[in-house]
Amino acid sequence: MSQQGASRAFSRIKGFADLFPPESEAFSRMESCGRDIFSRYGFAELRTPLLEFTGLFQRSIGAETDVVQKEMYTFADRKGRSVTLRPEATAGVMRACIESGLADARSGAHRFFTMGPMFRYERPQKGRMRQFHQINCECLGTESPFADAELIAMLWRFLQALGIADLTLKLNSLGCAACRPAYMAALRDYLTRLDADALCEDCRRRVQSNPLRVLDCKQPGCRALTEGAPRLLDHNCPDCRRHFDTVLELLARENITPDIDHRLVRGLDYYCRTTFEVVSGRIGAQTAVAGGGRYDGLTAQLGGPDAPGVGFACGMERLALLLPARAPVAPDFFIVAPDETARAQAFALAEALRGLGLGGELEYGGGSFKSLMRKAAKSGARFCCIIGPDESAAGRVSIRSMQSGEQVTLPQADAPARLAALVAASPTTPNHNG
Ligand code: HAM
């Protein structure tokens, strides 16, 4: 019988993860840090659907790319239309902007961030999932190199705010519709003169279908063979060169000094001019934590007005691998109340405490006083509220500091305000039991 048989519990689909704490908390931390920083640059949130018509991705990402050829979750809906779970966010954001009239040149620049799951049927490994999460930013409606530089500076500030160190920013320019065809001809000419048998199977195919990708092949043999390949920057037209130099200059003013990487071509077809990646040597084979670039012409390619744009996406699973660990915050209280009457009083006390902004739990079960106190200690709470049989009968509660062991007994009605004052007066300690 299959995995879904009656007697077997269900399991996750390969490449899809459940995110428990602390990973889920690391994800929330990245999201709120992103919201804070991106809003300072004028970015607002856009949530687009996870499912789009397949043609959108074929037309934007490119029919010859690995993503479209091998990695999309594509299926027919109930009316037989081909739909795809989004493998990235840019295409959907462009579709949404075109559909709502924001890609019109007269409407100025629009800045959106998108956070959420993406789907690519890749071979899962450390830092590579089939459902993964991106934090994605797009600035649409301007071809100014200031937008490229500002976006990269924003990404850099975001990564620094997360406390992620030892990252390298790689930069290149893919040229534009005016200068890229001559470059492509020179590259193809160079590649076809190479000993084809010395190239890997993928690259042999790419020489014709997608020659740029031969440059970023990771196989040592292919890399050695393409060492002398023509370089994009040497073929940039004066406008592209000026654009690139301005981006570099603006970044240098902010002490951001990228490595120029002549092999950086990106795996999606919509890029032109500025392309960049942020890589880390600390997360295994999948080194890219963020990637992006300019995509002038994409909206026109999707049937909308011609609106230039630039953007990036970070991979949250990969950022999570690099995020400095943070001890969970200790709960303020833990309430023990061994018998039923006391527990109803404890329930009311817990609600009153939460109403004052404190956080903690109430133990529902009974047991010996000793075992309940062990649970209180295990919870890592800063204060334990004890409603034993005597306290319960007298309408009182004992509040014990778990750090100093000091204890006060007082009427239950006075406890919320007193505990709030105690919490405010005592320094917060990380929860080492978490
Ligand atoms: P991308 O380079 O395909 O670009 O993906 C961006 C980031 O998503 C990667 O650097 C990586 O951190 C993460 N990522 C990609 N695939 C996986 C995976 N299977 N598992 C875990 N993480 C992954 C884009 O998606 C473009 N849409 C970026 C962009 C936005 N360009 C302009 N605007």
Side-chain angles (χ1 to χ4, degrees):
M1 191 178 264
S2 74
Q3 183 69 253
Q4 283 79 26
S7 59
R8 294 259 299 268
F10 288 99
S11 63
R12 280 182 285 119
I13 297 173
K14 185 176 170 190
F16 287 62
D18 302 307
L19 298 179
F20 284 96
E23 211 181 354
S24 54
E25 277 152 9
F27 271 52
S28 302
R29 199 176 352 146
M30 287 186 256
E31 285 163 359
S32 57
C33 179
R35 282 173 206 286
D36 171 33
I37 287 174
F38 305 154
S39 67
R40 293 189 227 165
Y41 288 78
F43 282 72
E45 185 165 16
L46 171 62
R47 300 186 190 214
T48 61
L50 303 195
L51 202 60
E52 301 271 4
F53 288 121
T54 305
L56 173 69
F57 302 115
Q58 289 169 330
R59 188 106 64 90
S60 55
I61 295 171
E64 293 298 332
T65 58
D66 285 351
V67 173
V68 168
Q69 294 233 315
K70 310 187 222 171
E71 296 168 5
M72 295 206 302
Y73 278 88
T74 296
F75 52 94
D77 72 4
R78 287 181 178 276
K79 288 214 166 130
R81 293 168 298 205
S82 182
V83 290
T84 295
L85 282 171
R86 63 181 186 188
E88 57 107 53
T90 312
V93 171
M94 292 307 118
R95 196 259 321 125
C97 287
I98 294 168
E99 219 171 336
S100 53
L102 297 178
D104 191 310
R106 288 162 303 185
S107 77
H110 300 281
R111 297 177 180 84
F112 293 112
F113 66 85
T114 307
M115 299 173 174
M118 311 289 154
F119 304 85
R120 295 184 194 177
Y121 197 91
E122 294 188 85
R123 196 167 46 79
Q125 58 175 229
K126 184 178 173 191
R128 189 163 72 190
M129 298 295 291
R130 289 182 175 167
Q131 177 180 309
F132 61 100
H133 298 75
Q134 283 186 344
I135 292 183
N136 180 88
C137 294
E138 310 290 355
C139 173
L140 184 68
T142 171
E143 55 185 359
S144 167
F146 279 71
D148 309 34
E150 204 174 31
L151 190 92
I152 294 171
M154 179 174 86
L155 169 60
W156 209 240
R157 189 182 293 277
F158 169 60
L159 296 169
Q160 281 182 340
L162 289 174
I164 299 178
D166 302 331
L167 293 172
T168 305
L169 170 66
K170 300 203 290 184
L171 194 71
N172 197 11
S173 171
L174 289 183
C176 65
C179 57
R180 185 123 45 107
Y183 172 76
M184 294 300 280
L187 178 64
R188 204 173 261 126
D189 185 46
Y190 174 88
L191 295 174
T192 44
R193 279 190 282 113
L194 295 176
D195 173 11
D197 292 339
L199 289 170
C200 73
E201 201 186 316
D202 279 342
C203 283
R204 276 203 293 273
R205 190 172 34 80
R206 284 175 184 146
V207 168
Q208 291 312 321
S209 66
N210 201 354
L212 274 181
R213 289 312 304 277
V214 179
L215 294 179
D216 78 347
C217 178
K218 301 289 177 286
Q219 301 284 340
C222 297
R223 286 186 94 78
L225 220 56
T226 54
E227 207 48 62
R231 294 179 161 188
L232 276 152
L233 283 177
D234 296 336
H235 288 74
N236 270 193
C237 61
D239 280 351
C240 285
R241 191 65 215 203
R242 215 171 301 117
H243 188 101
F244 187 72
D245 289 343
T246 308
V247 174
L248 272 183
E249 207 178 294
L250 290 167
L251 291 177
R253 283 172 199 243
E254 296 307 312
N255 293 320
I256 301 173
T257 45
D259 286 356
I260 308 299
D261 183 346
H262 298 286
R263 291 184 181 273
L264 180 66
V265 296
R266 308 278 298 129
L268 314 168
D269 276 358
Y270 48 62
Y271 291 110
C272 64
R273 292 195 167 165
T274 315
T275 44
F276 55 92
E277 262 177 24
V278 178
V279 297
S280 163
R282 295 196 282 136
I283 49 171
Q286 298 307 314
T287 58
V289 298
R294 183 159 276 287
Y295 44 78
D296 305 346
L298 177 55
T299 51
Q301 211 171 303
L302 292 175
D306 198 358
V310 59
F312 70 79
C314 300
M316 295 180 74
E317 280 75 4
R318 294 186 195 172
L319 290 181
L321 292 171
L322 292 164
L323 217 55
R326 189 189 272 179
V329 176
D332 298 314
F333 64 84
F334 188 88
I335 309 183
V336 299
D339 66 58
E340 296 258 323
T341 327
R343 215 164 297 141
Q345 294 169 346
F347 181 88
L349 176 59
E351 282 301 299
L353 290 169
R354 292 175 189 133
L356 292 180
L358 305 191
E361 311 173 26
L362 140 78
E363 168 56 36
Y364 306 136
S368 70
F369 183 68
K370 212 166 149 194
S371 75
L372 289 173
M373 288 311 291
R374 255 201 310 271
K375 283 186 182 168
K378 196 162 171 239
S379 79
R382 298 160 69 193
F383 294 92
C384 180
C385 302
I386 305 156
I387 312 183
D390 294 347
E391 281 107 341
S392 174
R396 294 171 76 79
V397 53
S398 298
I399 298 176
R400 181 184 296 186
S401 160
M402 298 301 279
Q403 219 169 11
S404 67
E406 274 172 55
Q407 187 165 314
V408 287
T409 303
L410 70 169
Q412 286 173 16
D414 299 340
R418 175 71 79 87
L419 189 55
L422 286 169
V423 165
S426 69
T428 43
T429 48
N431 177 6
H432 295 292
N433 296 333

